[in-house]
Amino acid sequence: MTLLTTWPDAGPETVVRRTSDPTEIAGALAPLGVRYERWPVRADVPADADGDTVFAAYGPEIDKLNAAEGFRTVDVVALRPSDDPGWPDKARAAREKFLAEHTHDDDDEVRFFVAGAGVFYLHVRGEVHAVYCEKGDLLGVPRGTTHWFDMGTSPSFTAIRFFHEEDGWVGTFTGSDIAGRFPDFDTIHAGHTGSAR
């Protein structure tokens, strides 16, 4: 289930907000300039669908968002557990790339979850907002917003990514250790939101 949990940035001991109501989530994130919407879930798109299948299924939504926002690049990224002996190292490297607090100076970070889940952490105005996104969720983080992303120790998701810039994902890291002080994906996925990892 989609979930928004908000804590003071001093630590996760106090939960300021916890809601799974999509309307409340959108209302809480909008003042931060963060876009949250639910798109219709295409039941005929399997979790392991390739990019062409995903683009065909969500074409109308992609076209509408592109027309409104002028994205130059749209792609599909997917990670899911594998029997490949190299999978644990691949999963670890993919997770670590996004796990430290960072910003994007030249682009928004817009993602639509076709399958699986991930958590975006937004560090804004003295609070940390953890948005647990799952199938059907679109989240748009404005450029310059301090945040990080956790896909968990065993990543399993398919997402459509939208970019204004052709360079794709470019992060500017803050050097802060704040991400390590808040519950990680695995903790939130298990239903716990009040303790650090």
Side-chain angles (χ1 to χ4, degrees):
M1 119 181 105
T2 307
L3 179 69
L4 169 64
T5 308
T6 302
W7 307 274
D9 64 6
E13 294 75 22
T14 302
V15 175
V16 175
R17 176 188 300 107
R18 187 171 192 267
T19 180
S20 60
D21 181 288
T23 303
E24 288 183 27
I25 293 171
L29 296 178
L32 308 177
V34 175
R35 172 199 297 252
Y36 170 78
E37 352 181 306
R38 291 281 302 164
W39 283 6
V41 173
R42 305 283 188 254
D44 59 339
V45 177
D48 60 353
D50 62 20
D52 290 342
T53 302
V54 170
F55 281 128
Y58 288 97
E61 289 85 0
I62 293 169
D63 291 345
K64 182 177 178 183
L65 189 57
N66 275 340
E69 300 289 338
F71 293 107
R72 297 174 69 179
T73 304
V74 181
D75 67 12
V76 174
V77 62
L79 283 171
R80 67 191 69 272
S82 165
D83 293 334
D84 181 335
W87 166 249
D89 290 338
K90 179 180 178 181
R92 190 178 311 106
R95 182 184 190 213
E96 288 175 0
K97 179 177 180 180
F98 307 106
L99 199 52
E101 185 183 66
H102 61 275
T103 63
H104 302 292
D105 299 332
D106 298 323
D107 210 343
D108 303 332
E109 185 158 350
V110 181
R111 305 289 182 265
F112 171 70
F113 284 81
V114 175
V119 180
F120 279 92
Y121 298 81
L122 314 170
H123 184 193
V124 183
R125 299 180 189 167
E127 294 180 321
V128 171
H129 310 267
V131 189
Y132 179 94
C133 296
E134 63 178 3
K135 178 169 57 175
D137 289 331
L138 179 130
L139 191 75
V141 180
R143 69 190 69 197
T145 301
T146 308
H147 68 286
W148 66 94
F149 176 73
D150 191 0
M151 61 185 75
T153 54
S154 186
S156 182
F157 68 91
T158 300
I160 302 172
R161 306 186 303 175
F162 298 83
F163 299 101
H164 289 107
E165 300 295 326
E166 292 180 355
D167 292 342
W169 193 93
V170 179
T172 302
F173 292 90
T174 67
S176 171
D177 67 352
I178 190 169
R181 300 197 304 262
F182 285 83
D184 63 6
F185 171 90
D186 294 329
T187 303
I188 292 175
H189 184 72
H192 306 289
T193 59
S195 60
R197 51 182 138 156

